Amino acid sequence: MTLADETRWLDATAQADLVRAGEVGPTELVAAAIERIECDDPVLNSVIHRRFERALDEAAAPTLPDGPFRGVPFVLKDLWAASAGDPIHNGMAALKAIGYVADADTTLVSRYRRAGLVFVGRTNTPELGILPTTEPDAYGATRNPWDLSRTPGGSSGGSAAAVAAGLVPAAHASDGGGSIRIPASMCGLVGLKVSQGRISLGPLRDESGLGVEHVVTRSVRDCAAFLDATHGPGIGDSVIAAAPTRPYVDELGAPVPPLRIGLLATNLRGPTDPECEAAARAAGALLASMGHHVEEAFPSVLTDDSFAAHFGALWGANQRISMARVGHIIGRELGPQDVEPLTWILGQRAAELTAVDYAEALAANSRFRRAAQQWWADGWDLLLTPTIACLPPHIGEMAQNPEQPLAPIFRAADVAPFTPPFNTSGQPAISLPLHWSAEGLPVGVQLVAAYGREDLLLRLASALEEARPWAGRHAPFPA
């Protein structure tokens, strides 16, 4: 058995332990990941920018930082998380066409380097991260290692597929409407959307928006350890979450007092696949058996029918701003020939918003945030839901269609009704792989905590991982 085989299913913590003990060198670990990517990724299409030679040089360098993940191979999502000297195309053919290369690291990427991680590549993402599938025109579809006919989700689909296939132990991801949690659910991974302002988005993005960044992992301990290595404000951050009282890894295995948990098992505005509802109800029963009080309850503001319009206004405006930034990079304004039909129509509609329209959407989202967080202030500890409302869609179900440009976003709303509200509220939420469908597909459940309470989520997630272990469940890929 080769080192590539021996380390395929080790999490990042275990791989770092091998390096720390002197049993394996950073170069060997990185070479093993490269071997897996070269052998297996042509089928998955998860790693679209390969930096193998640079990775091997960095792994061998005496300057490789002696951080908690020294020598561990890692991939970056190809959406805004720039790494100096590497391509970054945000899923866009326009940036691919000019071969755009970043000239500096973002704050988070510099923290990954400081932790000793070695970047072996960058992963596929839908154009501008808009959809919960990863099928950009620029780079083609990424496939789910649990079923190659299905999507791994999005927008962190490339990262999730790479981790679920054992190419790397963990991967960078980001979440503006569910883009960490959705692919975590579809690929059988742990995916934590952190609190707004927990991890810096500097130097170019603003923490007061919808998006956050973190990782997808196979273990709760990796999720916690990566958060310890990367949390905290950067220069000029506008929203800063209060620092934890102790390291997040100290929450692992710590006693969990009886919690008051609300259960929302079905989509309030559309269908829910029975497997997804069953996943949430089974998780509720497990939590009750562990001594927690679980009852059907949820924040009433989730029934607000105006939420989608206000969220959509900000979502579309973000895409329009992103298009303007890309236009600045390539030296001209983008036209419909430069972007996918959905991106163009979202940008056009956003351009029709007045300043008052945008301000009203911001105000409505502020009201939503306060109303949602009030539920936790009133005595609830957690909300339990399915992560998504269906099994992973097949490749092509959200394909771009110039005749019906908004069709993919309408399908996306049916796939992921449970995740966007907590981007608006700014609260932390985690997807855990606690259920598998009758046909063997992973089905995640989502737990949502009060703002700033990643510690509680990780403590309970650790207990659930022990009660219903998933480490031995691997995607049937490669065959």
Side-chain angles (χ1 to χ4, degrees), residues 82 86 104 146 160 182 195 213 275 289 302 306 348 404 424 451 467:
D86 296 327
W146 290 91
I182 294 164
S195 298
E213 299 186 34
E275 293 277 12
S289 74
L302 296 181
S306 70
Q348 290 300 102
Q404 295 178 303
T424 294
Y451 179 78

Side-chain angles (χ1 to χ4, degrees), residues 7 27 108 181 237 323:
T7 58
T27 304
L108 177 57
R181 292 158 288 163
D237 283 1
M323 289 171 63

Side-chain angles (χ1 to χ4, degrees), residues 243-264:
T245 57
R246 62 179 181 176
Y248 287 108
V249 293
D250 288 355
E251 304 300 336
L252 308 178
V256 184
L259 301 174
R260 189 181 182 204
I261 302 172
L263 170 64
L264 174 60

Side-chain angles (χ1 to χ4, degrees), residues 195-473:
S195 298
Q196 191 179 54
R198 173 64 66 204
I199 296 175
S200 179
L201 296 178
L204 298 177
R205 298 175 67 204
D206 183 9
E207 293 73 22
S208 66
L210 299 170
V212 299
E213 299 186 34
H214 190 34
V215 289
V216 285
T217 65
R218 290 196 292 268
S219 66
V220 175
R221 70 176 183 173
D222 273 4
C223 185
F226 272 91
L227 191 51
D228 280 328
T230 57
H231 76 82
I235 296 171
D237 283 1
S238 58
V239 178
I240 299 172
T245 57
R246 62 179 181 176
Y248 287 108
V249 293
D250 288 355
E251 304 300 336
L252 308 178
V256 184
L259 301 174
R260 189 181 182 204
I261 302 172
L263 170 64
L264 174 60
T266 58
N267 181 3
L268 294 170
R269 295 179 181 82
T272 306
D273 188 285
E275 293 277 12
C276 298
E277 180 177 353
R281 293 195 182 280
L286 176 60
L287 288 164
S289 74
M290 296 166 68
H292 304 293
H293 175 78
V294 181
E295 66 176 283
E296 301 218 13
F298 57 88
S300 61
V301 72
L302 296 181
T303 64
D304 182 356
D305 289 334
S306 70
F307 171 79
H310 296 131
F311 182 91
L314 297 185
W315 187 259
N318 287 344
Q319 309 317 321
R320 181 72 182 193
I321 293 168
S322 295
M323 289 171 63
R325 286 178 60 187
V326 172
H328 178 75
I329 290 170
I330 67 175
R332 60 175 174 79
E333 186 175 348
L334 295 180
Q337 74 281 1
D338 296 308
V339 295
E340 296 172 1
L342 174 61
T343 306
W344 181 252
I345 194 67
L346 289 177
Q348 290 300 102
R349 290 194 170 194
E352 296 169 0
L353 292 174
T354 68
V356 172
D357 293 332
Y358 186 71
E360 286 179 345
L362 286 175
N365 279 289
S366 294
R367 291 192 297 272
F368 181 94
R369 182 178 66 249
R370 294 182 188 279
Q373 292 190 21
Q374 185 63 49
W375 189 77
W376 278 262
D378 287 341
W380 295 90
D381 295 300
L382 296 169
L383 176 66
L384 168 65
T385 76
T387 305
I388 56 177
C390 65
L391 299 179
H394 288 90
I395 300 293
E397 285 189 32
M398 284 176 269
Q400 299 286 323
N401 182 351
E403 301 302 317
Q404 295 178 303
L406 289 172
I409 206 74
F410 294 142
R411 175 72 175 111
D414 290 335
V415 171
F418 299 105
T419 54
F422 306 107
N423 293 87
T424 294
S425 71
Q427 295 169 250
I430 194 167
S431 180
L432 299 175
L434 291 175
H435 185 83
W436 269 258
S437 73
E439 55 190 303
L441 295 172
V443 182
V445 298
Q446 175 178 242
L447 290 163
V448 187
Y451 179 78
R453 292 305 310 272
E454 287 89 347
D455 58 332
L456 179 60
L457 286 179
L458 290 167
R459 191 185 308 181
L460 184 60
S462 173
L464 289 167
E465 184 180 34
E466 182 177 357
R468 189 169 292 170
W470 56 75
R473 303 197 70 148

